Amino acid sequence: MLTKIIEGQKYDCATAELLALREHRNYQSDFDWCHERLYRKKSGGYFLSGVGGPASQWARATGNGRIDGEDILAFTETEARAWVEAHANDCYEEIFGPVPE
């Protein structure tokens, strides 16, 4: 499991609560495949952990090309809400509570 320190804060997939996940193009032969997981830290912060192919946002540069990569991005609550709306809408109220009509 991935762990990263960002601006003095620890983001650890092993100890955080998994809230939602997204799997885009499950075949690793698709260069833009990616798997993303949204977490909430015990202290209440949010982060996104992702892994993906050479044409995904998770790719890493190597030499003169790009290869599969993985990383963690710290999220504000607003960013977490927007990510859930876009990629796991059916879980929104379960994660953030009821939304008025």
Side-chain angles (χ1 to χ4, degrees), residues 68-80:
D68 293 1
E70 65 180 341
D71 202 1
I72 287 178
L73 303 174
F75 268 19
T76 64
E77 183 175 338
T78 300
E79 291 169 323

Side-chain angles (χ1 to χ4, degrees), residues 12-94:
D12 186 348
C13 297
T15 60
E17 175 188 9
L18 176 62
L19 300 175
L21 58 91
R22 168 186 181 234
E23 293 186 347
H24 174 70
R25 299 191 195 269
N26 287 324
Y27 302 105
Q28 292 187 2
S29 59
D30 292 328
F31 290 137
D32 65 341
W33 73 271
C34 73
H35 297 175
E36 299 174 333
R37 289 174 173 75
L38 180 69
Y39 291 92
R40 181 173 29 226
K41 296 175 18 163
K42 290 179 184 178
S43 63
Y46 296 90
F47 66 97
L48 188 67
S49 170
V51 60
S56 74
Q57 79 175 64
W58 304 103
R60 356 180 234 125
T62 180
N64 61 355
R66 294 170 57 88
I67 61 172
D68 293 1
E70 65 180 341
D71 202 1
I72 287 178
L73 303 174
F75 268 19
T76 64
E77 183 175 338
T78 300
E79 291 169 323
R81 287 176 179 269
W83 186 91
V84 172
E85 278 187 38
H87 303 296
N89 196 277
D90 58 325
C91 301
Y92 190 93
E93 290 186 302
E94 181 180 326

